[in-house]
């Protein structure tokens, strides 16, 4: 059963506008501006902060954004700053102790 | 950053800002909603920033002025504040397990999965048009109003689930929205059978796959780029439970869940069930739209070493997901509940893709022992099965209670996340709730 409010104010309920992120929502550091202006042209910061990757992993994400999602390719210098910033601030999660996968690189 | 690079970055941001202003102008012009709605009603927590529409009125909002974003209740008209947002742009919101305790998931608790810029609900939903074309002898353009009156209306309670549900349990972390277990719901969907409409378009023998085109726009705002354009094999499109739906639990389908009209392919990854559907093209090849290529919505045929970069994987070693795995959840008590006595009364749900849930067992000792639950019959294929169990505990103390569903082919939920893949699809590992039992 739907809550009445879902249909009592449809014009507002149906109209979603994401909020505009601000740069101070990202940790300070070299590459913060490049990340902010490159990434938030399209999407919010939550999806960035939810990923946990090393430099190779973040580099793969940049490739995905360029080849699949239409990101205008950053310069090599910007790309390096973006990747190192993201890997420094949103690194892989620590592995659970007690078991090491011998095949992980 | 050099000046030219800065300009490049700024021009991208300007393009985005311009798009936002355009959207805002439309909103203010059409609805004057800034007069009639508080910021809170717009889904914006105080202090975490201005909504896009408001930015048109206050373009000079300084970036440094906002306080750091604090966790806030999810705030969206028509949705329960207990839902958990995974991200606001694109908007993706999941349902905590304890909020899936209704036999039929209310619209207010139903998860949100969007890929792009969402369309607005039209003033006259019945005028919404859907085109059927491609490998057909009789291409059609039909309005929602005509769909409702021309074809048999059917209502089924069926599970809709995001392919990435359970993603956050993969190790190492997989890419994408970090869904825990809440990218799923089971609602009563009312609509018409897609096959009834397709048959009127007279599919050619060459039609082997559908291609869906919807009204949402790519986040970049580029018109020639699709936020999502998936398809299904023609046999699935012709299945009696594959629907074009306009109502959820007897009410108009909310826009954020695809209203006025969406597709519904139960058993398949939710992304195939495109929201805001405008065109269904029949194709003579497997569709290659957004979400159909590379490793998107595919699982390994040849299992990969966890952590393997997507670039090192040949997409030919992956297959398109056409069946969601068997799963179960404990929906009561909630994780972290303290109860007294010597029994834990459990409620939950179990569901499957193309197969049927045959049994559900629960354990309070990490799987050392299991006991069966009482399963309700499904209303129809693709409905979930609600279940209850009363578990006696040997002594007061701390318990982790686990549930494990098994399907009609004897396949159970995995004991640990398995079949790792870069985008984290297909997870169905056994979950648990922690319960403290006092004397």
């Amino acid at each position: 059963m739907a809550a009445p409010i879902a249909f009592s104010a449809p014009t507002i309920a149906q109209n979603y506008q994401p909020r505009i992120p601000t740069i101070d929502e990202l940790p300070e550091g070299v590459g913060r501006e490049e990340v902010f202006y490159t990434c938030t042209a399209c999407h919010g910061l939550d999806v960035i902060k939810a990923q946990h990757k090393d430099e190779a992993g973040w580099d793969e994400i940049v490739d995905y954004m360029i080849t699949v999602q239409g990101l205008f390719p950053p310069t090599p210098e910007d790309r390096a700053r973006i990747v190192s910033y993201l890997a420094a601030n949103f690194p892989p999660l620590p592995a659970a102790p007690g078991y090491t996968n011998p095949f992980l690189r | 950053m050099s000046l030219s690079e800065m300009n490049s970055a700024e021009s991208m941001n300007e393009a985005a800002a311009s798009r936002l202003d355009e959207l805002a102008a439309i909103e203010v012009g059409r609805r004057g909603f800034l007069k009639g709605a508080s910021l809170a009603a717009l889904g914006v927590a105080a202090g975490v920033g201005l909504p896009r529409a408001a930015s048109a009125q206050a373009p000079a909002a300084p970036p440094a002025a906002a306080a750091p974003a604090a966790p806030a209740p999810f705030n969206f008209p028509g949705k329960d504040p207990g839902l958990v947002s995974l991200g606001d742009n694109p908007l993706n919101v999941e349902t905590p397990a304890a909020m899936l305790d209704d036999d039929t998931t209310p619209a207010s608790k139903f998860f949100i999965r969007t890929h792009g810029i969402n369309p607005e609900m039209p003033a006259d939903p019945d005028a919404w048009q859907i085109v059927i074309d491609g490998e057909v002898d009789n291409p059609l353009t039909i309005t929602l109003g005509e769909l409702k009156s021309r074809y048999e209306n059917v209502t089924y309670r069926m599970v809709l689930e995001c392919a990435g549900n359970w993603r956050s349990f993969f190790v190492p972390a997989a890419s994408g929205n970090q869904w825990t277990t809440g990218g799923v719901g089971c609602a009563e969907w009312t609509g018409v059978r897609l096959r009834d409409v397709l048959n009127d378009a007279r599919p050619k023998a060459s039609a082997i796959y559908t291609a869906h085109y919807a009204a949402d726009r790519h986040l970049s705002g580029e018109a020639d780029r699709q936020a999502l354009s998936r398809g299904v094999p023609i046999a699935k499109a012709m299945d009696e439970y594959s629907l074009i739906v306009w109502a959820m639990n007897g009410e108009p389908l909310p826009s954020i869940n695809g209203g006025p009209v969406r597709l519904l392919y139960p058993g398949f990854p939710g992304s195939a069930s495109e929201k805001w559907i405008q065109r269904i093209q029949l194709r003579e090849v497997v569709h290659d739209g957004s979400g159909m290529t590379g490793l998107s919505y595919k699982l390994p045929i040849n299992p990969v070493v966890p952590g393997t970069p997507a670039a090192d994987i040949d997409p030919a070693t992956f297959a398109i997901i056409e069946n969601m795995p068997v799963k179960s959840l404990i929906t009561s008590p909630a994780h972290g509940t303290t109860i007294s006595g010597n029994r834990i009364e459990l409620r939950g749900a179990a569901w499957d893709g193309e197969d049927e849930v045959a049994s559900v067992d629960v354990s309070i000792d990490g799987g050392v022992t299991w006991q069966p639950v009482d399963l309700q019959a499904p209303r129809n294929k693709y409905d979930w099965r609600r279940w209850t169990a009363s578990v006696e505990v040997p002594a007061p103390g701390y318990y982790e209670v686990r549930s494990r569903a098994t399907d009609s082919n004897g396949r159970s939920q995995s004991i640990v996340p398995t079949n790792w893949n870069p985008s984290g699809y297909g997870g169905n590992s056994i979950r648990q709730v922690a319960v403290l039992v006092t004397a």
Side-chain angles (χ1 to χ4, degrees), chain B residues 136-172:
Chain B
V136 297
D137 286 327
N138 181 37
L140 298 177
T141 299
I142 190 163
T143 66
L144 176 53
E146 290 167 338
L147 271 186
K148 290 176 179 175
S149 61
R150 271 192 212 169
Y151 300 98
E152 181 191 355
N153 289 197
V154 293
T155 299
Y156 296 119
R157 192 171 76 181
M158 300 193 287
V159 169
L160 180 65
E161 182 176 26
C162 176
N165 205 20
W166 260 246
R167 175 178 290 135
S168 62
F169 307 115
F170 282 104
V171 180

Side-chain angles (χ1 to χ4, degrees), chain B residues 9 14 20 47 70 76 171 188 205 252 272 368 383 395 422:
Chain B
E14 275 168 21
L20 303 185
F76 191 93
V171 180
E188 293 171 4
V368 175
D383 188 16

Side-chain angles (χ1 to χ4, degrees), chain B residues 74-398:
Chain B
F74 180 63
N75 193 339
F76 191 93
K79 290 292 185 182
D80 193 296
L83 297 179
V84 177
S85 175
L86 304 177
D88 66 359
N89 185 23
L91 184 65
N92 288 293
V93 181
E94 71 172 337
T95 313
M99 285 175 58
L100 290 172
D101 199 35
D102 303 87
D103 284 358
T104 304
T105 311
S108 61
K109 298 177 185 174
F110 210 91
F111 76 101
I112 298 170
R113 200 304 183 230
T114 67
H115 294 76
I117 302 168
N118 306 326
E120 293 174 52
M121 187 67 104
D124 179 11
D126 281 350
W128 184 278
Q129 291 188 327
I130 299 174
V131 171
I132 313 286
D133 65 357
E135 299 294 306
V136 297
D137 286 327
N138 181 37
L140 298 177
T141 299
I142 190 163
T143 66
L144 176 53
E146 290 167 338
L147 271 186
K148 290 176 179 175
S149 61
R150 271 192 212 169
Y151 300 98
E152 181 191 355
N153 289 197
V154 293
T155 299
Y156 296 119
R157 192 171 76 181
M158 300 193 287
V159 169
L160 180 65
E161 182 176 26
C162 176
N165 205 20
W166 260 246
R167 175 178 290 135
S168 62
F169 307 115
F170 282 104
V171 180
S175 294
N177 294 301
Q178 297 299 303
W179 300 95
T180 63
T181 62
V184 65
C186 188
E188 293 171 4
W189 308 97
T190 298
V192 296
R193 292 189 179 93
L194 176 57
R195 71 181 181 193
D196 290 349
V197 185
L198 293 182
N199 283 336
D200 270 358
R202 297 202 297 275
K204 296 178 179 175
S206 54
I208 65 157
Y209 223 86
T210 65
H212 312 143
Y213 303 90
D216 50 340
R217 297 159 63 206
H218 191 266
L219 282 178
S220 66
E222 292 175 33
D224 58 351
R225 210 168 259 288
Q226 239 110 30
L228 185 72
S229 178
R230 301 211 62 222
V232 300
I234 195 73
K236 182 65 180 177
M238 292 297 187
D239 186 87
E240 66 175 302
Y241 295 97
S242 294
L243 308 181
I244 306 175
V245 302
W246 58 79
M248 184 180 190
N249 302 334
E251 300 274 1
L253 183 62
S255 176
I256 201 66
N257 291 115
V261 60
R262 73 175 299 162
L263 292 171
L264 211 292
Y265 293 109
F268 268 48
S271 56
S273 298
E274 278 187 66
K275 300 176 286 294
W276 316 295
I277 187 69
Q278 289 182 311
R279 178 185 174 207
I280 301 159
Q281 176 195 27
L282 298 190
R283 300 195 61 178
E284 75 286 16
V285 294
V286 174
H287 184 44
D288 55 0
S290 174
M292 295 299 300
T293 58
L295 303 181
S296 292
Y297 300 105
K298 293 177 187 172
L299 279 172
I301 301 167
N302 308 96
V304 300
V305 176
T308 303
D312 293 353
I313 295 171
D314 177 1
T317 66
F318 274 47
I320 295 170
I321 305 168
E322 295 182 348
N323 189 0
M324 294 291 285
V326 66
K327 290 176 183 165
S328 66
L329 280 177
I330 294 166
T331 60
S332 181
H335 184 56
T337 299
T338 299
I339 61 171
S340 61
N342 66 345
R343 301 195 81 86
I344 306 175
E345 305 298 333
L346 299 168
R347 282 195 302 273
W351 63 97
D352 202 351
E354 297 295 327
D355 305 302
E356 290 169 16
V357 172
S359 61
V360 175
D361 298 279
V362 294
S363 175
I364 58 168
D365 53 19
V368 175
T369 60
W370 293 93
Q371 72 174 69
V373 305
D374 293 321
L375 268 178
Q376 285 180 23
R379 289 189 188 174
N380 47 257
K381 191 177 179 187
Y382 302 112
D383 188 16
W384 63 13
R385 297 188 73 173
R386 304 297 306 183
W387 57 263
T388 57
S390 179
V391 181
E392 186 174 356
V393 297
Y398 170 83

